Amino acid sequence: MRKTVLIFFAFVLLAFIAFEGNAQAPKVGQQSPQIQVFKWINREVKSEKPVLLEFWATWCGPCRKAIPHLNDLHDKYKDQVSFISLSIEREDVIRNFMKNTEIKAAVGTDFERKTALAYNVQGIPYTVLIHKDGEIAWIGYPAAVTDSLMNVFIDNNKSRSVRHDLVKTIDIKDLKFNLTVNKAKNQDAPGSLSDSHEGILFSSMSITSIMELILNASPMRIEAPSEFRTEKYDVLYKHEMVMPFPEFRQIMLQRVSDALNVKIEKNTTRSLVYKIRCKDCKKLQEQYRELSSRTNNYQSTFEEKNGKMHANTVNINALISYLETAHKRIFINESGLNGFYSFAVSQENIEAAIKDLETYGLQIVSEEDDIDMYKLSPKK
């Protein structure tokens, strides 16, 4: 039996019901902290109306119970009040939840907890009524927001001016960053990637491996000189906020490739590819929900056992890297799955591997398609 640690991911999923707050929380009658939204899930809200701000999470039972009541309020008062629901969870978690549960408010992710911390949110659900000039009118639980309260709230806004900076959508390009690159002191150490509040750290990784991760391209699609595959580096990308990796991939790609003096050429070629799609992925989605409910640190491993490769706690792209290396085929991820899962896949041949993957509700389709191939070379 052989067990290999692939990559350690320290994603911040924050699956707990109490938040760590500031020493001072805003009170009724004071100005509201700015409502900073990392990304809007369904639609964006501008600072034009008074706001009903709701802090919630997909895993919070009382929050889920309050959704129908908030939807009713939205139907009655949406013309006079902006309804905003913020969760500190990742975008993919919120989107998956909303596939089966309608939320009529504008839903956003406060992935950085900037707004939750500014409000000193100690538990959820947590509701705030904010006048359009930014003054806090009321703080409490969603069930306590009645029609009479809403009517008084709306009436009190008739003569107020608009605070135009009350709601802010964060622009990734405006965020401050710091990038450090050093040759790894221990060239024999296994490579790892961590994504946490300290920033993104590529530790003891070759240039090719770093580019594979940022480009989201498998080894079969990257051509590079030998020195790009042998010399290892420590690359730390610190930024003003902790952001989900895909959200700023292109920006980071430019900055890191410049720092490593790497030229990237992209070409499109026609080739036979194996596309991984979801046929019935309910079991995999439940597997990820169960995992994320009990941990926020993921360690991916590959273990050979009984003729199969047991890929434990891996994302689909890591699974693809293994499949391409083992079977010398090009795979494309069209599953829409963004979490971490565990698979047992035959090592015998590509046909047996596909058959195993299909037992997880995946569909593997082979067809000719245009794919992006990358050539790495030193900048002159």
Side-chain angles (χ1 to χ4, degrees), residues 19-47:
F19 297 1
E20 180 185 353
N22 294 328
Q24 294 294 326
K27 297 178 175 59
V28 172
Q30 295 180 342
Q31 274 290 302
S32 165
Q34 191 173 53
I35 302 169
Q36 298 191 56
V37 181
F38 178 72
K39 188 168 185 178
W40 296 98
I41 306 300
N42 50 2
R43 67 181 183 279
E44 185 175 354
V45 167
K46 303 292 185 180
S47 305

Side-chain angles (χ1 to χ4, degrees), residues 21-287:
N22 294 328
Q24 294 294 326
K27 297 178 175 59
V28 172
Q30 295 180 342
Q31 274 290 302
S32 165
Q34 191 173 53
I35 302 169
Q36 298 191 56
V37 181
F38 178 72
K39 188 168 185 178
W40 296 98
I41 306 300
N42 50 2
R43 67 181 183 279
E44 185 175 354
V45 167
K46 303 292 185 180
S47 305
E48 298 173 352
K49 303 175 185 175
V51 173
L52 185 152
L53 175 62
E54 173 76 4
F55 294 93
W56 72 293
T58 62
W59 44 262
C60 166
C63 301
R64 295 195 298 267
K65 188 176 180 180
I67 290 173
H69 175 58
L70 291 169
N71 283 344
D72 289 341
L73 293 174
H74 177 272
D75 286 342
K76 292 177 183 177
Y77 306 108
K78 61 184 178 183
D79 292 335
Q80 294 88 20
V81 177
S82 292
F83 287 75
I84 300 176
S85 292
L86 289 186
S87 171
I88 60 174
E89 296 167 291
R90 293 172 66 92
E91 176 189 357
D92 60 297
V93 175
I94 302 171
R95 286 192 184 279
N96 286 335
F97 176 82
M98 291 179 65
K99 288 178 181 178
N100 300 311
T101 303
E102 182 183 25
I103 299 178
K104 296 184 177 180
V107 179
T109 172
D110 179 27
F111 189 76
E112 295 300 318
R113 300 188 298 164
K114 282 186 174 291
T115 307
L117 289 172
Y119 269 94
N120 195 33
V121 177
Q122 297 292 318
I124 51 176
Y126 186 86
T127 306
V128 185
L129 298 181
I130 308 167
H131 292 305
K132 62 183 180 182
D133 62 1
E135 182 183 329
I136 297 174
W138 182 90
I139 300 174
Y141 295 100
V145 181
T146 61
D147 288 324
S148 59
L149 175 60
M150 288 296 292
N151 287 324
V152 171
F153 174 56
I154 291 169
D155 187 63
N156 284 340
N157 273 275
K158 290 180 179 179
S159 60
R160 293 176 183 262
S161 59
V162 175
R163 177 181 159 185
H164 294 288
D165 70 339
L166 178 59
V167 182
K168 177 184 178 181
T169 303
I170 295 168
D171 189 338
I172 294 173
K173 294 179 181 178
D174 294 336
L175 298 174
K176 299 175 183 177
F177 77 98
N178 180 265
L179 177 62
T180 57
V181 175
N182 295 294
K183 281 193 176 181
K185 292 181 179 179
N186 184 356
Q187 290 286 311
D188 296 324
S192 65
L193 166 70
S194 64
D195 182 0
S196 71
H197 283 289
E198 296 301 317
I200 292 181
L201 174 62
F202 302 88
S203 180
S204 193
M205 296 181 71
S206 69
I207 289 177
T208 305
S209 296
I210 293 170
M211 291 297 110
E212 286 172 9
L213 289 167
I214 303 178
L215 286 166
N216 194 23
S218 54
M220 289 280 290
R221 295 165 56 195
I222 293 183
E223 177 187 347
S226 59
E227 64 267 25
F228 279 15
R229 299 182 182 277
T230 54
E231 286 188 328
K232 294 184 176 181
Y233 293 83
D234 295 328
V235 178
L236 178 60
Y237 188 95
K238 288 187 176 183
H239 34 75
E240 186 180 349
M241 296 173 59
V242 178
M243 296 173 287
F245 201 96
E247 296 298 334
F248 65 119
R249 191 182 300 275
Q250 286 302 122
I251 297 173
M252 186 170 68
L253 174 64
Q254 183 63 54
R255 293 169 177 171
V256 173
S257 62
D258 286 346
L260 290 169
N261 199 39
V262 176
K263 178 183 178 181
I264 303 173
E265 298 175 81
K266 184 173 77 170
N267 296 295
T268 302
T269 184
R270 195 78 176 172
S271 180
L272 177 67
V273 298
Y274 290 78
K275 297 181 177 180
I276 299 180
R277 298 170 179 168
C278 260
K279 186 175 182 181
D280 182 8
C281 290
K282 292 180 181 178
K283 289 184 179 179
L284 286 175
Q285 290 167 344
E286 180 58 35
Q287 189 185 109

Side-chain angles (χ1 to χ4, degrees), residues 218-220 271-274 276 302 304 307-311 318-331 343-357 364:
S218 54
M220 289 280 290
S271 180
L272 177 67
V273 298
Y274 290 78
I276 299 180
F302 285 82
E304 296 177 7
K308 292 191 176 184
M309 179 62 75
H310 292 256
L319 175 67
I320 284 176
S321 291
Y322 159 70
L323 291 170
E324 292 192 342
T325 301
H327 300 290
K328 307 304 179 185
R329 303 290 199 282
I330 295 177
F331 285 78
F343 304 91
V345 184
S346 175
Q347 296 178 287
E348 184 179 352
N349 53 53
I350 186 65
E351 291 77 17
I354 289 174
K355 188 175 180 180
D356 284 338
L357 291 173
I364 315 300

